Amino acid sequence: MRRRTGAAATALLALLALVSGCATGPSLEDQGEVTAPPGDSKHLVVGSAGFTESDLIAQMYALLLNKAGYSTKILSVANRELYEPALESGQIDVVPEYAATFADWLNAKKNGADAEPAGSPDLDATMRALRRLATPRGLTVLDPGKAVDQNAFAVAASYARGHKLKTLSDLGKSGLKVRLAAGDECVKRPYCAPGLKKVYGIDITGVDPKGVGTTQAKKAVQGGQDQMVLTTSTDATLDDFGLVLLKDDKHLQNADYIVPVVNRSRAGSKGVANALGRLNPVLTTQDLASLNEQVDSWRRLPQDVARTYLEKKNLL
C-alpha cells in the first residue's frame, strides 16, 4: 500500500470534500446498527484506485449505470486509506474492489495489523467474511463475477516445455532449484516464497527483488537469470517475454475476485445491483488481461476500451 505525503493527502481530501457535502454513512458509535433502507441516488460517484485495471472497471461500472438511468462521475483516488472512508461517508458511492484483499484490509482496520487474515482461497468463505466486516460500516458488497486478479507465477515457455511443467505442483515434483523474481516482501509473505515451499515443495533458492510483474523481473526470467517471476493473473504481457503461467492447482492464492462495493445509503438499491450485475457473467480473467493490454501496450484510453468491450458484449 502506497504511503501518502501530508500535502497529497490534504489535496485529495479537499477534492473528496467537493464531491459531496453530506456524510451519509454510519458514525463510529452507530456501526453495527445500520437500519436505514438502501438508498437509490440517481447521481453517483464511481471511485477508481488509479491504476489501469481499476480505471477500466470503474469506466464499465459508470457506463452500465448510465444505461440504467443513473448519472455518474468518476473520481480517481490512488490510496485505499482515503477512498474507503470516502466510500463509507457517501462521498464515493461505488468502487471496484478485490474480495480477499478488501476483506483483509477491513479486518486489519477493525482488529489491528496482526489480526488473522479474513480472506482465503475459498471464495464463499471470503465473501462471508467480507460482508460481515463491510455491513457495519454502511457498505454493501455485491456479488462477484468471473474475473479474478490474484498473484500468479510464470516461467519461460521453453523452460516449461523442457521440464513438462503445467502446474506449480509439477514444478515442486521436478525438484528443480528456482530463483524467484518478485518483490522483496515475497521472502515473508505466506502466499509467496514460504507458501510455494510449504504447499508445493518448490525449492526456492532465493528471491531476486525486482518487483511484482515488472519488465525487469520478466526479463530476468526470459534471460535465464531467474527461473520464475511473481506477476498477476491478468498480466497480458507474458507472451511478449516468452513466459507462461503455471496453474495454482492447490489454490495457494486468495480469492481476489472483483466485486463492486457500494455505499448502502446512497447506492444500495436493486437498480444499482442489477446494473452492475450484468457484468458478472460476462467479464472473465482473460478478458480483463486483454483489456489491460489494450491500455498499457496499445495506449488506448480506458474509457474507449471499456465502451468497446461492453458494446461487443451487447451490454450497451
Side-chain angles (χ1 to χ4, degrees):
M1 190 180 303
R2 279 177 288 211
R3 295 291 174 187
R4 63 195 184 278
T5 64
T10 301
L12 282 170
L13 286 171
L15 179 60
L16 290 172
L18 292 174
V19 175
S20 171
C22 60
T24 55
S27 61
L28 289 174
E29 63 268 22
D30 293 332
Q31 285 183 3
E33 301 296 329
V34 181
T35 58
D40 192 27
S41 172
K42 296 302 180 182
H43 306 282
L44 301 176
V45 176
V46 180
S48 166
F51 57 92
T52 295
E53 189 167 285
S54 188
D55 289 343
L56 279 164
I57 300 168
Q59 291 287 346
M60 285 190 271
Y61 285 2
L63 288 166
L64 291 169
L65 289 167
N66 292 161
K67 182 174 175 61
Y70 298 87
S71 67
T72 59
K73 175 179 179 178
I74 293 178
L75 181 64
S76 182
V77 183
N79 191 315
R80 190 177 277 116
E81 289 175 307
L82 289 176
Y83 74 67
E84 189 278 331
L87 183 63
E88 287 188 30
S89 70
Q91 293 168 314
I92 293 176
D93 303 306
V94 184
V95 167
E97 263 293 356
Y98 299 89
T101 295
F102 197 46
D104 284 343
W105 195 87
L106 289 179
N107 189 41
K109 187 174 181 179
K110 178 182 178 182
N111 299 312
D114 295 329
E116 285 294 316
S120 76
D122 185 323
L123 177 59
D124 290 339
T126 295
M127 289 298 295
R128 287 194 296 271
L130 175 54
R131 283 171 169 151
R132 281 197 302 269
L133 290 161
T135 297
R137 295 183 175 277
L139 306 179
T140 296
V141 182
L142 303 182
D143 291 338
K146 294 180 179 180
V148 57
D149 186 355
Q150 57 194 173
N151 286 348
F153 297 91
V155 299
S158 57
Y159 183 84
R161 286 194 302 270
H163 297 287
K164 298 181 180 179
L165 307 176
K166 292 185 178 180
T167 68
L168 290 171
S169 287
D170 292 339
L171 183 56
K173 292 174 184 176
S174 74
L176 293 165
K177 294 186 181 300
V178 175
R179 181 172 164 87
L180 176 62
D184 54 8
E185 71 279 2
C186 179
V187 174
K188 298 180 180 179
R189 292 283 174 87
Y191 307 115
C192 201
L196 291 172
K197 293 177 182 179
K198 180 178 180 180
V199 175
Y200 288 106
I202 297 173
D203 187 1
I204 303 293
T205 61
V207 173
D208 188 2
K210 286 185 164 58
V212 179
T214 63
T215 296
Q216 184 184 21
K218 292 171 191 171
K219 284 184 175 179
V221 176
Q222 183 183 37
Q225 177 184 342
D226 299 327
Q227 288 70 51
M228 188 160 67
V229 59
L230 169 62
T231 183
T232 66
S233 56
T234 59
D235 187 337
T237 68
L238 295 178
D239 285 346
D240 298 340
F241 298 90
L243 307 181
V244 294
L245 291 178
L246 295 182
K247 185 178 180 181
D248 178 21
D249 53 309
K250 292 185 178 179
H251 306 293
L252 170 64
Q253 301 305 319
N254 276 349
D256 259 332
Y257 285 76
I258 293 166
V259 293
V261 182
V262 304
N263 176 286
R264 182 179 184 272
S265 65
R266 287 184 49 80
S269 68
K270 288 185 178 179
V272 170
N274 290 340
L276 299 180
R278 297 178 65 212
L279 191 61
N280 286 354
V282 177
L283 183 66
T284 66
T285 303
Q286 185 175 2
D287 288 346
L288 195 50
S290 175
L291 298 178
N292 286 338
E293 181 182 30
Q294 291 177 49
V295 175
D296 290 336
S297 297
W298 304 358
R299 302 305 182 200
R300 295 186 60 197
L301 295 174
Q303 56 265 40
D304 294 338
V305 174
R307 179 175 290 279
T308 300
Y309 177 78
L310 295 181
E311 289 175 345
K312 182 179 178 181
K313 296 297 183 178
N314 297 316
L315 293 179
L316 289 184

